[in-house]
Amino acid sequence: DGGITQSPKYLFRKEGQNVTLSCEQNLNHDAMYWYRQDPGQGLRLIYYSQIVNDFQKGDIAEGYSVSREKKESFPLTVTSAQKNPTAFYLCASSPAGNTEAFFGQGTRLTVV
Amino acid sequence: GQSLEQPSEVTAVEGAIVQINCTYQTSGFYGLSWYQQHDGGAPTFLSYNALDGLEETGRFSSFLSRSDSYGYLLLQELQMKDSASYFCAVDSGNTPLVFGKGTRLSVIA
């Protein structure tokens, strides 16, 4: 079955550590996105990539980094520079155009 | 810039009809979409409107007025499982979707 997979579902890290969230899709979509969601809030864009080996900053990119070495994969690293990293992280992909985005099940990151 | 406004919370009775409004301001506009998200889950696509008018998909309908920069999601014959957050999102073309802050719908018996 085609879809978008995020792992792990829950992640705990100590403050000051970098952590990488995985996102893989087998939908053959060119575009991939990372969003952050805080309680009672909407989805805020962290980074996006419209083609392999290229990515763009979103609205809240500070403290995060990404790579897009393969079409299927778009990992997100939460660095120690991110001041408030505890949140629900959602990865999405879409075909050409924005008519429909497909989301992974999310990773809930807790930094203690 | 781009901004979307939608009510933060709506409560409705099982079996009733509820309308969730969304107004937007954007420099470019291709379409308005709606997503549903249950607590702890992933947003799932409900509808996309590129043209003015009402589009119906089962119990859910979505409306768009481009001249008013306004749309709404209409849910009929509400069921308890419809309790979720609903997000409108603007498609401005080559840039990623911009989402509203979401409307939390509570369906009560």
Side-chain angles (χ1 to χ4, degrees):
Chain A
D1 285 334
I4 182 164
T5 302
Q6 290 185 241
S7 62
K9 189 170 178 66
Y10 298 96
L11 190 55
F12 294 86
R13 279 294 182 271
K14 291 185 178 180
E15 192 172 338
Q17 290 182 334
N18 291 356
V19 61
T20 297
L21 282 58
S22 169
C23 179
E24 303 278 332
Q25 56 101 357
N26 60 4
L27 299 167
N28 200 34
H29 289 166
D30 286 317
M32 296 187 74
Y33 315 88
W34 275 105
Y35 291 92
R36 170 181 171 140
Q37 188 174 33
D38 294 287
Q41 298 295 311
L43 283 67
R44 293 186 290 168
L45 183 67
I46 305 173
Y47 268 99
Y48 66 100
S49 168
Q50 294 180 312
I51 196 167
V52 175
N53 292 323
D54 187 49
F55 49 84
Q56 307 294 329
K57 292 182 178 180
D59 300 320
I60 56 166
E62 186 176 352
Y64 300 98
S65 65
V66 293
S67 62
R68 187 83 186 279
E69 297 176 2
K70 299 186 300 182
K71 188 175 186 177
E72 302 80 15
S73 180
F74 191 41
L76 173 75
T77 297
V78 184
T79 76
S80 57
Q82 168 51 232
K83 299 303 180 189
N84 186 20
T86 295
F88 188 48
Y89 291 88
L90 286 159
C91 180
S93 69
S94 68
N98 278 324
T99 55
E100 182 175 356
F102 295 77
F103 285 84
Q105 290 300 309
T107 293
R108 188 167 300 279
L109 172 65
T110 302
V111 175
V112 296
Chain B
Q2 297 166 321
S3 67
L4 295 92
E5 294 289 332
Q6 51 181 130
S8 59
E9 294 183 4
V10 172
T11 300
V13 177
E14 192 175 15
I17 299 172
V18 70
Q19 178 175 312
I20 300 174
N21 298 321
C22 175
T23 57
Y24 58 87
Q25 288 185 316
T26 179
S27 55
F29 182 83
Y30 279 63
L32 185 72
S33 51
W34 289 91
Y35 288 79
Q36 178 192 60
Q37 184 184 30
H38 287 98
D39 284 347
T44 56
F45 173 81
L46 293 176
S47 67
Y48 180 89
N49 293 66
L51 303 175
D52 286 356
L54 186 69
E55 294 203 6
E56 300 179 52
T57 308
R59 294 187 298 113
F60 293 5
S61 303
S62 56
F63 172 84
L64 176 66
S65 169
R66 295 173 69 113
S67 60
D68 295 323
S69 298
Y70 164 75
Y72 65 73
L73 180 69
L74 191 72
L75 296 81
Q76 302 181 74
E77 301 173 16
L78 280 172
Q79 302 176 8
M80 299 301 285
K81 67 178 182 180
D82 297 330
S83 293
S85 292
Y86 293 85
F87 296 88
C88 57
V90 164
D91 171 15
S92 296
N94 289 331
T95 55
L97 290 172
V98 176
F99 288 83
K101 292 190 175 182
T103 298
R104 188 173 185 87
L105 171 64
S106 298
V107 180
I108 59 175

